[in-house]
Structures are given as structure tokens and as C-alpha cells.
């Protein structure tokens, strides 16, 4: 058993743990690859072929079909693969649909603040801005649903999520725009409450970056077909063609050239997820990982959750507080673990309060989360005495 003397006593002494996580990949994006992943396992027949060839279109459509199956997405919702990762997908939605009515932007972490900046400074809208500090949610009962509402379902940089969709009314007048990049495939999302959702393969699926996924419900399609924004649209944002929705975008006919290697990587992850039992299997793995990390936190009085309320605490991008830590301490803490190949990329986001951020999505193994505990103790003690 490893001996540990409290670091704040000034006599920290702890042996380096003997067992490392087998896969120390805890980055919140790009995230750990699925267990068993190897580049040699990816299908490569489509590489070097046009994405508009019969083969290319078939693989893109297969990827879309797998996403629909895994998410249990109703036929009323369209799925498109678009450029620019989650950011590109969300900005595409903003640029093409906002301006038809008032806008409310919710921000409780850095990406929500990014959408505020886009709405105010780029689109020159005058949104109602509803903010909360890192670790907190704003008052979700005070939203004006005559407006379009923009929010992050699961705040990657704060570890705070909306607990469910009950706060979104069925009779809303505005559209819901949900940046769901750290939520899709980790929660059973209420698609009847979401008019626009965006995500990236690089999160819960452990895929590659560069491509985003845009999901449109019927109300969003109606907006696109009946509203033309006042500002010019870049080519990569255009979802309309000759006055009608560009349906090909949602059948694998991407607006620009995709990386077919990234597509094959996403297909690998989706087929892996299907082998787990689909969405339920992915959710179960994320839940188990979050529970294992929560146990580690509960056993250490120097470690805490940035999101104090368990009901709104992320089960994927879990953000932690470290007693007495500042940015320099966290940098030292994370560097110690990386040098030992015990944990990669676990420092909190640069705009968030100083702390740790540990990804607990489905591609992480629960045993690796559990194995992290003694290494956190070692790094804390070592950084304290450095």
C-alpha cells in the first residue's frame, strides 16, 4: 500500500505508483480512440477516390445512417456532415437561421461565450444574454421562448450540463440551438426539444477533428426555407439551393471535400458502438467512468467538482478543483503526469478556473479512471513540494 503524508504538513512523501492506466488518454478533445482501435483496421478502399464517386457517396451515407441508428434519431431530423468541426456546424446554423426573431444566448462556459461574441460582434444582433459563472447553470425557468435560444447542452470547459430537456417547452415559438458536442452519444437526448444540434466526432466517439455534424429538426428546416438572412453567406455555410433546402448535404453530398480517412475513422467508432449495444452501451460506459472519477474525488479532501450540483454535472468532460492550486501549479501537476505517461492533457481549459479536466466519455476504460487515483495523489504531493 502506498504511504502518503499530507502535503500541507510540509513533509509530503509518496512513492511513485507501480501501475499506470493502460491508456492514459484523458483529453477532452480530441478524445481517446475506441478500445481496440488501430489505424490498420480502418477501411481504405475509398482513399484516393472522389467523395462524389459512387463508393464515396456510399460510405458517407453509411456514416450518416449509422449515426441515425446509434442516436435513435427520428426520420423528421436530418443529419449533415459539414466542415469546421462543431464550431463550423454551430456557426453554420447561426449564420443561416438567426435574425428572423429575437435571440437569447446562454453562457456558462467559454464556448457559450463564443456564441455570444458571434451574435453580438459578427452578426450585429442584440441578444438577451443570460450568464452564469463556471460551475453553475443560469436560471433556466426565466427564458423567453418567443426568441431563438442558443446554449451548450454539456459545457466542455466548465463540466456543467443541462440536466434534461424539461425546461424547453413544446409550444416554444423560437428555435433551440444546442451545441451538443460533449453530449451526443453520452446522453439520451430529447430530440423533440432540439431544433438544431451540432457535434464533432472527436468527442464521445473518439474520432478525428475537422468535421462537424449538423442535425436539423423540422422547425429548423422550415426556418431555412422561409427566411433569408440579411448578411452574405460563405459558400461553406450555404444550406439552400435555388430556394430549397440542399437535401444532398443530408445524404452525404458534402459542401466541400471531406477527409474520407476521417469518415472511415468515424465509421469504425460507430460500428464499435453498435457492438456495445448502441446508445445504451455508450451511455453505460460514460456513466461508469464518471462514477469511478466521482469516487476518486470523494476519497480526497483536496479534490472537488467545479460543478457542485450532481444533477447538472457533466459525465463526459468532468472539471475538478484542486485545493490551493493556481495556473502554475496545475501546469506542473499535469506535466508530472504526462512525463510519467500516467495521464495526458488533464489541465483545465485555459479560460476556466485553475483545475483539472478529465474526460470520462465512452472511449475511456473505467479501469483506467480508477488507476488514475494514486497518480493524482503522487502528482499533488510532488507538485506541492517542488
Amino acid at each position: 500500500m502506498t504511504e502518503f503524508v499530507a502535503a500541507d504538513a510540509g513533509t509530503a512523501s509518496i512513492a511513485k505508483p507501480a501501475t499506470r492506466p493502460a491508456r492514459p488518454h484523458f483529453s477532452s478533445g480530441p478524445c481517446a480512440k475506441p478500445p481496440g482501435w488501430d489505424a490498420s483496421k480502418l477501411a481504405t478502399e475509398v482513399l484516393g477516390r472522389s467523395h462524389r464517386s459512387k463508393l464515396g457517396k456510399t460510405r458517407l451515407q453509411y456514416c450518416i445512417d449509422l449515426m441515425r441508428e446509434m442516436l435513435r434519431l427520428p426520420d423528421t431530423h436530418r443529419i449533415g456532415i459539414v466542415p469546421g468541426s462543431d464550431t463550423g456546424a454551430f456557426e453554420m446554423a447561426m449564420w443561416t437561421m438567426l435574425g428572423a426573431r429575437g435571440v437569447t444566448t446562454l453562457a456558462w462556459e467559454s464556448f457559450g461565450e463564443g456564441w455570444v461574441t458571434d451574435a453580438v460582434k459578427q452578426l450585429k444582433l442584440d441578444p438577451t444574454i443570460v450568464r452564469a459563472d463556471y460551475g453553475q447553470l443560469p436560471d433556466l425557468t426565466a427564458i423567453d421562448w418567443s426568441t431563438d435560444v442558443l446554449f451548450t447542452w454539456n459545457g466542455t470547459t466548465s463540466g456543467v450540463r443541462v440536466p434534461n430537456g424539461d425546461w424547453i417547452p413544446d409550444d416554444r415559438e423560437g428555435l433551440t440551438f444546442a451545441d451538443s458536442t460533449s453530449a451526443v452519444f453520452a446522453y439520451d437526448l430529447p430530440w423533440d426539444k432540439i431544433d438544431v444540434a451540432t457535434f464533432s466526432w472527436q468527442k464521445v466517439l473518439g474520432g478525428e477533428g475537422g468535421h462537424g455534424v449538423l442535425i436539423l429538426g423540422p422547425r429548423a428546416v422550415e426556418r431555412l426555407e422561409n427566411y433569408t438572412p440579411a448578411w452574405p453567406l460563405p459558400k461553406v455555410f450555404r444550406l439552400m439551393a435555388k430556394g430549397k433546402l440542399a437535401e444532398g448535404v443530408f445524404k452525404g453530398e458534402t459542401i466541400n471535400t471531406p477527409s474520407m480517412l476521417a469518415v472511415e475513422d468515424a465509421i469504425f467508432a460507430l460500428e464499435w458502438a453498435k457492438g456495445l449495444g448502441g446508445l445504451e452501451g455508450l451511455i453505460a460506459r460514460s456513466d461508469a467512468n464518471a462514477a469511478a472519477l466521482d469516487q476518486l474525488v470523494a476519497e480526497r479532501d483536496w479534490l472537488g467538482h467545479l460543478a457542485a450540483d450532481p444533477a447538472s454535472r457533466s459525465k463526459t468532460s468532468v472539471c475538478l478543483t484542486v485545493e490551493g492550486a493556481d495556473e502554475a501549479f496545475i501546469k506542473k501537476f499535469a506535466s508530472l503526469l504526462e512525463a510519467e505517461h500516467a495521464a495526458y492533457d488533464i489541465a483545465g481549459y485555459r479560460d476556466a478556473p485553475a483545475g483539472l479536466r478529465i474526460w470520462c466519455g465512452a472511449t475511456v476504460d473505467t479501469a483506467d479512471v480508477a488507476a488514475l487515483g494514486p497518480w493524482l495523489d503522487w502528482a499533488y504531493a510532488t507538485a506541492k513540494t517542488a
Side-chain angles (χ1 to χ4, degrees):
M1 186 173 180
T2 302
E3 177 187 0
F4 179 68
V5 180
D8 58 10
T11 57
S13 175
I14 185 169
K16 192 178 295 183
T19 302
R20 291 173 173 79
R23 294 191 304 140
H25 298 81
F26 298 105
S27 164
S28 289
C31 301
K33 306 301 286 185
W37 180 93
D38 189 274
S40 65
K41 296 180 180 180
L42 302 184
T44 57
E45 292 82 1
V46 74
L47 302 188
R49 295 292 306 276
S50 170
H51 63 297
R52 302 194 189 283
S53 67
K54 182 177 180 181
L55 176 60
K57 288 182 180 180
T58 298
R59 296 303 284 174
L60 285 161
Q61 183 65 63
Y62 178 52
C63 185
I64 289 172
D65 290 344
L66 281 173
M67 287 189 286
R68 182 178 298 279
E69 180 183 354
M70 293 301 99
L71 293 174
R72 299 195 295 245
L73 199 70
D75 292 339
T76 54
H77 287 59
R78 292 165 169 85
I79 306 175
I81 299 169
V82 300
S85 198
D86 176 66
T87 300
F90 202 82
E91 290 188 330
M92 176 183 287
M94 291 180 67
W95 258 249
T96 55
M97 283 178 267
L98 291 185
R101 58 174 59 240
V103 176
T104 298
T105 56
L106 310 184
W108 55 83
E109 49 95 52
S110 62
F111 288 101
E113 284 293 342
W115 311 139
V116 171
T117 298
D118 280 1
V120 174
K121 294 186 177 181
Q122 305 303 321
L123 298 180
K124 308 299 183 182
L125 300 171
D126 185 23
T128 298
I129 304 170
V130 182
R131 289 186 169 97
D133 292 335
Y134 275 84
Q136 304 294 322
L137 273 179
D139 181 3
L140 299 179
T141 66
I143 307 302
D144 178 2
W145 288 102
S146 69
T147 66
D148 293 331
V149 179
L150 283 63
F151 66 100
T152 51
W153 195 280
N154 187 111
T156 310
T157 66
S158 68
V160 174
R161 64 183 174 98
V162 293
N164 50 52
D166 295 349
W167 59 288
I168 302 173
D170 293 333
D171 61 351
R172 60 191 178 277
E173 297 176 43
L175 301 180
T176 51
F177 292 70
D179 174 355
S180 306
T181 196
S182 294
V184 172
F185 295 110
Y187 308 107
D188 190 4
L189 297 179
W191 292 109
D192 60 322
K193 302 283 190 174
I194 301 173
D195 298 307
V196 179
T198 64
F199 69 95
S200 168
W201 295 326
Q202 64 163 311
K203 296 295 186 181
V204 180
L205 290 178
E208 292 302 297
H211 299 292
V213 178
L214 175 67
I215 299 177
L216 301 180
R219 300 178 74 246
V221 173
E222 181 182 15
R223 172 72 61 83
L224 284 167
E225 292 181 335
N226 291 282
Y227 166 69
T228 301
W231 43 80
L233 293 176
K235 180 179 179 180
V236 293
F237 282 3
R238 296 173 196 163
L239 293 170
M240 299 293 291
K242 298 179 179 179
K244 295 183 179 180
L245 185 71
E247 292 285 2
V249 173
F250 306 97
K251 297 177 182 177
E253 298 173 13
T254 55
I255 294 173
N256 69 334
T257 305
S259 163
M260 295 308 296
L261 186 60
V263 171
E264 292 297 342
D265 186 74
I267 288 173
F268 178 94
L270 288 160
E271 290 180 337
W272 166 77
K274 189 173 181 177
L276 295 176
L279 184 62
E280 289 86 355
L282 293 172
I283 292 173
R285 285 181 63 92
S286 290
D287 286 355
N289 291 338
L293 184 57
D294 191 53
Q295 182 175 344
L296 296 184
V297 173
E299 293 169 351
R300 290 156 177 82
D301 57 9
W302 56 270
L303 201 56
H305 284 286
L306 182 60
D309 182 2
S312 58
R313 185 180 299 155
S314 171
K315 294 184 179 181
T316 55
S317 54
V318 184
C319 297
L320 305 177
T321 60
V322 177
E323 185 179 75
D326 57 14
E327 186 177 346
F329 183 88
I330 294 299
K331 184 176 181 180
K332 176 67 174 177
F333 189 113
S335 295
L336 285 165
L337 292 172
E338 182 170 346
E340 293 293 333
H341 305 290
Y344 298 143
D345 312 316
I346 67 167
Y349 191 73
R350 60 182 180 270
D351 294 335
L356 305 176
R357 181 173 57 160
I358 298 173
W359 184 256
C360 289
T363 56
V364 172
D365 288 318
T366 305
D368 288 337
V369 178
L372 191 57
W375 284 99
L376 296 178
D377 293 333
W378 172 81
Y380 182 70
T382 304
K384 273 283 192 180
T385 57

